[in-house]
Amino acid sequence: MKSILRTIGALITVVCCGVVCFSACGKNSKIADNTQFYDDVTKTLKLEKSYAGKNFYTDGIGSATVDKFTDGDTTLFKLDDTSSPIGGTANIRYYSIDTPESTGSVEKWGKSASLFVEQQLSKATEIVLEATTTPASKDSYGTRYLGYVWYKTADYNEFKCLNLEIVENGYSENKGINTSAYPYNEYFKKANDFAQKIKLRLYSDLEDPLYSTAPVDTTVKEFNDNPSAFYNEELQVGSKIRFTAYLKSLTVANSGTHTFVAEQYDAETGKTYTINVYTGYNSSPASAMEIGHLYQIIGTVQKHDGNYQVAGPVYSALYPRPDNTHVKQYDYYWTFNSGVGYTGNNGATLYSDVTVTSVKVEGTVMTVEGTARKCKKDGYADAESFTFEAKVAEGYTPKLSVGNRFSGNAYKFDSGKNVWTIADVDGIVKK
């Protein structure tokens, strides 16, 4: 695994070297090798509008600095003029472009586009945001403002339109058309024609050095023990990995994005190990995966807000494929807890608290029989009988007795047996 990341590092070093030598890098090449960067078309487009003392939200233009990088076509900026009641930051969706994904799902050239944007703006001595309307307007999702991002550097004292530069360098098609809604479309068309003619990046059959194709087999424990083997902090690039885990819980952000907690139980240590799995919005089929099932999960390692996550699992409930994320065992991890509310994602293995009907200890095995009711959207179903087993110490005295209720989690390690294993006896909550 380390050798894979070293290879990626060597390749992207070549790419990064290309970023700082615009005028010297192979302008006359007929076919691109994807280590060269271009701005011949970009330099012909000039920023004509006045921006001094203006506010992006109200005036449709204003100066700013980078607050946070997101991906190849979205950046969060801090506005120099904060007089607008809307706020002092603006989340900009770059207009006329659409780079490959590098967050929820991960696509070829997505991470490279994201890195290109970060490198260009990190060199900027001044940044100007130009909205597509006055006052500024949001995209169709209502979460980002549409605009052009202009920047200048110490080496080049005129503003360049980063949107246009992204197209010229083959990180996005020109998404504009020849209408007044796209005032710079003539330049974007030239840039797109250039990238297409020399078969640059999106138009190339060459490999993207920041895109993993073949997944590396691992376990959640192995990842947690040595995450640097799967993620290069300096380059912010992760490998594609494949592992088996059950889904334990789900968090849906205010923006509507879904993040599961995937957990693996390790029989040798008797411990559990977790990693987040980011599936994106409701529109992603992977966001419909269900808590409690055991999955083979394939995704790309990322880092979000300082935490590792796996993003971009490809999943289909109707047409599962062994080379994608799919269910390996249904109803593997069960939750018996009346305090947990029903959702569409957790209803498969969610039950009420267990009412104990018998308890016995033989050697180092405690057997508990009881009843619980399946949680439904509109209440609970009729009671069902369950048999639980747990490993205990020799001479263990049960804390549960007939008539008690308890909540906890259990595994159905053997789908052919009606026995649920309680791996953590101390985790049982008597009620």
Side-chain angles (χ1 to χ4, degrees), residues 226-244:
N226 189 20
S228 62
F230 305 90
Y231 187 83
N232 188 303
E233 296 281 353
E234 181 179 0
L235 300 174
Q236 303 173 42
V237 176
S239 301
K240 181 174 283 188
I241 61 175
R242 176 170 50 212
F243 59 96
T244 299

Side-chain angles (χ1 to χ4, degrees), residues 170-236:
Y171 289 116
S172 172
E173 296 179 65
N174 170 28
K175 294 296 183 178
I177 54 177
N178 189 23
T179 70
S180 59
Y182 297 90
Y184 306 127
N185 187 62
E186 174 188 349
Y187 297 90
F188 278 82
K189 184 179 184 307
K190 287 181 181 178
N192 195 88
D193 289 346
F194 166 77
Q196 193 168 21
K197 181 178 180 180
I198 66 169
K199 301 188 179 195
L200 185 60
R201 298 189 176 87
L202 286 181
Y203 302 107
S204 167
D205 292 329
L206 299 178
E207 294 300 317
D208 173 7
L210 297 186
Y211 179 69
S212 297
T213 53
V216 177
D217 289 310
T218 187
T219 65
V220 180
K221 178 182 183 300
E222 183 180 12
F223 177 86
N224 287 345
D225 287 345
N226 189 20
S228 62
F230 305 90
Y231 187 83
N232 188 303
E233 296 281 353
E234 181 179 0
L235 300 174
Q236 303 173 42

